[in-house]
Amino acid sequence: MFLFSYIGKTLIIFSVLALIIILIIYLFYNSYMIRKHGNYVKIDTPKNIKTRSLIESDLIYIHRRIIDMTDREFEYFVARLLALSDNNRYIVTPKSNDGGRDCILWKDGKEIYIECKHFKSDKGIPGRPIIQKLCGAMIENNVSNGILVTLHGSNQNGITTCNSINNSKIANINIEILDIDDLLKICLNIDAYRVYALAGIPKLYKNIS
């Protein structure tokens, strides 16, 4: 009896240890996958919320909110919006030593580098240097697609540089430029409550019959 009791207790202990080890391995693997391939956007819609499309008054709120965002909030909003719009994984890079990109999307297993510039004044429109920096980070890491996201697009020097890079016969690189109007157009394809949540203002959302 003592032997069977001892064996039984030993098996229970080993089973518990095995479960703990499996859990630790899973947590480490999950953490690695998030760092390596990012995560999906998850937004739970409360039961009392009626899903609907954005209307003009919503766009006014969202536009104002985007303008008022901090640089870091803008990076997270852009990354999560672009990821949610096409069901892609994403990460936002650290504030410092970001490697020349603020966010990374994974689409069909391929990386897309995103650089965000939240300049509120028309005088602060990004140009050639920002695009060249993004292009350099892409070449260094063998990434073909990149997006520069700003409030007011890019100046003419930046547009010319972007076109030259995209038409290069040496490197297979494509850089797209998005402004706040482009972001709002993307928002139109997403449920209104989720857009409010992405923008950090879910409490301003109103149910409309």
Side-chain angles (χ1 to χ4, degrees):
M1 290 293 294
F2 173 77
L3 179 61
F4 285 115
S5 177
Y6 173 78
I7 293 174
K9 290 180 180 179
T10 302
L11 288 174
I12 292 174
I13 293 173
F14 273 109
S15 298
V16 172
L17 288 175
L19 288 173
I20 292 174
I21 292 172
I22 291 172
L23 178 61
I24 292 174
I25 292 174
Y26 169 78
L27 291 174
F28 271 105
Y29 176 77
N30 190 53
S31 177
Y32 166 79
M33 289 301 292
I34 291 175
R35 292 196 305 270
K36 182 70 175 178
H37 299 293
N39 209 345
Y40 291 110
V41 178
K42 296 180 180 179
I43 300 175
D44 294 325
T45 303
K47 293 181 179 179
N48 64 321
I49 295 297
K50 297 180 180 178
T51 58
R52 62 175 177 82
S53 300
L54 289 168
I55 59 177
E56 186 175 352
S57 59
D58 295 319
L59 293 176
I60 293 174
Y61 280 124
I62 301 303
H63 185 280
R64 186 182 306 154
R65 172 59 182 147
I66 294 174
I67 295 295
D68 291 339
M69 286 178 179
T70 65
D71 292 349
R72 194 63 172 167
E73 287 174 337
F74 186 62
E75 292 171 4
Y76 272 94
F77 173 75
V78 168
R80 288 165 59 81
L81 175 65
L82 296 181
L84 184 61
S85 67
D86 205 18
N87 196 34
N88 296 319
R89 291 179 180 269
Y90 79 98
I91 62 169
V92 177
T93 58
K95 286 185 178 181
S96 57
N97 300 319
D98 60 10
R101 71 278 199 243
D102 295 315
C103 324
I104 303 174
L105 287 184
W106 280 267
K107 183 174 182 178
D108 300 326
K110 296 181 180 180
E111 294 183 6
I112 301 174
Y113 279 7
I114 303 173
E115 182 70 11
C116 302
K117 293 300 175 186
H118 191 255
F119 297 155
K120 297 180 181 179
S121 171
D122 288 345
K123 296 179 180 179
I125 297 178
R128 181 188 296 118
I130 298 298
I131 293 175
Q132 289 177 331
K133 179 183 177 182
L134 175 59
C135 179
M138 293 166 62
I139 292 174
E140 181 180 356
N141 295 283
N142 296 313
V143 173
S144 298
N145 294 295
I147 306 173
L148 172 63
V149 186
T150 77
L151 296 180
H152 306 290
S154 177
N155 60 28
Q156 189 56 51
N157 285 336
I159 294 173
T160 300
T161 300
C162 190
N163 290 335
S164 297
I165 291 172
N166 293 344
N167 294 322
S168 172
K169 296 180 180 179
I170 299 175
N172 181 25
I173 288 181
N174 180 74
I175 296 177
E176 186 179 0
I177 301 174
L178 301 180
D179 61 19
I180 191 169
D181 291 332
D182 295 315
L183 296 179
L184 291 175
K185 288 177 183 177
I186 295 172
C187 288
L188 289 171
N189 296 318
I190 300 174
D191 174 71
Y193 177 80
R194 290 189 172 191
V195 175
Y196 274 78
L198 289 174
I201 52 173
K203 292 183 178 180
L204 293 180
Y205 177 82
K206 297 179 181 179
N207 284 327
I208 298 177
S209 301

